[in-house]
Amino acid sequence: MKRFEGKVVIVTGGASGQGEAACRLFAAEGASVVVADWNGEGAARLADEIGGVALRVDVSQEVDVIAMIRLAETRFGRLDVLFNNAGVGHSESARFKMASIVETPGEDWDNILAINLKGCAMGCKHAIPLMVRGGGGAIVNNASIMGIAGVPGADAYSAAKGGMISLTRVLAVEWIEKGVRVNCICPGPVATGMTAPMMETEEGRREVIGLSPAGRVATSEEVAKVAVFLASDDASFVNGVILPVDGGWAAR
Ligand SMILES: NC(=O)c1ccc[n+]([C@@H]2O[C@H](COP(=O)([O-])OP(=O)(O)OC[C@H]3O[C@@H](n4cnc5c(N)ncnc54)[C@H](O)[C@@H]3O)[C@@H](O)[C@H]2O)c1
């Protein structure tokens, strides 16, 4: 029996990187997967490939998040798993970048918190009632090692990820009696579109890899497997955990 047979899973930021890897793993384990991403074309391509459903969503917009949860309800009648994975540190289209607080315009601060923290919060807000109606569920939030400790130069991003960690803890305590588990992963550097620009130069590569005692970045699959475990019944008594997936970075 596959672990997610008969289960409905939403992955935000599902079109690429860790989210894409998670969509593939959930689908391979029998789940009906909603691939939600602001890259609607990428989401549609992946959904076609894995037999899922795609939705163009900007997680910073509550109306989009409501539509995403409603899609799971109308199409499948339930929601078992939400992987709050969508996130950005820098964005060429929105023209903001990771920076120290004195270099971060207030508008960038708003955008970075809206996508990373509010997006996660709105996902939880609208997923939990549907999960409770179905008898329970599991939420996994994708934060970062930058939410655990101070890594200079990504101040708004780090604050947003720290907020996701606190939100995970409070929701885990609030909702476990109703059958909803809430956990959080904190990846170290992962080889995705997010780190790709830094990996182009020797200096950038040294900076990124220097974050990991393992001396390398993780693959998306290495991180996604941990998210899938936390979402599965194999983790049925795991709740409120903040789990580094970082090759030992947090152990230093
Ligand atoms: N790559 C790393 O080194 C690293 C380390 C720690 C944590 N993270 C976190 O992992 C998560 C996944 O990132 P990734 O590394 O796979 O990068 P990625 O850029 O490959 O994937 C991020 C996905 O999120 C989507 N997205 C961005 N903003 C969105 C929005 N407002 N609404 C909907 N979708 C949106 C993007 O289109 C993209 O498909 C992020 O939350 C990121 O902060 C990444």
Side-chain angles (χ1 to χ4, degrees):
M1 174 82 173
K2 293 176 174 174
R3 284 188 295 179
F4 291 89
E5 207 78 66
K7 298 208 169 181
V8 180
V9 174
I10 296 177
V11 178
T12 69
S16 68
Q18 299 165 61
E20 176 183 349
C23 288
R24 290 182 187 282
L25 291 172
F26 280 123
E29 294 232 35
S32 300
V33 179
V34 177
V35 185
D37 203 295
W38 71 7
N39 172 3
E41 277 177 26
R45 248 195 321 274
L46 179 62
D48 270 357
E49 215 185 298
I50 63 172
V53 180
L55 188 67
R56 193 197 171 280
V57 171
D58 179 349
V59 295
S60 68
Q61 304 300 312
E62 188 172 9
V63 286
D64 282 17
V65 175
I66 291 170
M68 175 180 84
I69 303 299
R70 210 165 272 156
L71 174 66
E73 186 171 23
T74 53
R75 188 68 70 94
F76 303 109
R78 59 183 297 109
L79 178 63
D80 300 283
V81 173
L82 172 64
F83 182 25
N84 276 315
N85 165 76
V88 288
H90 58 87
S91 165
E92 270 157 37
S93 54
R95 279 191 248 112
F96 56 77
K97 57 183 171 66
M98 290 194 181
S100 78
I101 196 157
V102 293
E103 295 162 331
T104 303
E107 201 183 316
D108 291 10
W109 182 270
D110 290 343
N111 283 327
I112 292 169
L113 264 78
I115 295 170
N116 292 285
L117 178 55
K118 183 186 167 201
C120 170
M122 293 302 101
C124 296
K125 173 181 172 182
H126 295 288
I128 286 171
L130 181 56
M131 288 177 168
V132 169
R133 283 202 296 280
I139 295 175
V140 180
N141 297 326
N142 196 348
S144 167
I145 54 169
M146 290 186 182
I148 296 177
V151 179
D155 299 10
Y157 181 79
S158 298
K161 295 300 188 182
M164 288 174 70
I165 290 171
S166 294
L167 184 66
T168 298
R169 289 202 174 102
V170 67
L171 295 180
V173 173
E174 279 177 350
W175 290 98
I176 190 62
E177 279 189 0
K178 301 276 186 202
V180 179
R181 296 182 296 108
V182 187
N183 289 293
C184 182
I185 56 171
C186 290
V190 190
T192 66
M194 190 175 270
T195 47
M198 291 188 76
M199 297 297 275
E200 278 168 12
T201 65
E202 194 45 46
E203 190 194 346
R205 214 203 314 272
R206 237 179 291 124
E207 205 180 305
V208 172
I209 292 176
L211 286 174
S212 168
R216 67 173 179 86
V217 296
T219 65
S220 288
E221 288 71 24
E222 284 177 301
V223 180
K225 279 180 187 168
V226 179
V228 170
F229 161 69
L230 288 172
S232 78
D233 288 343
D234 289 341
S236 55
F237 208 57
V238 181
N239 185 37
V241 153
I242 311 303
L243 184 55
V245 187
D246 64 352
W249 182 91
R252 282 211 247 237

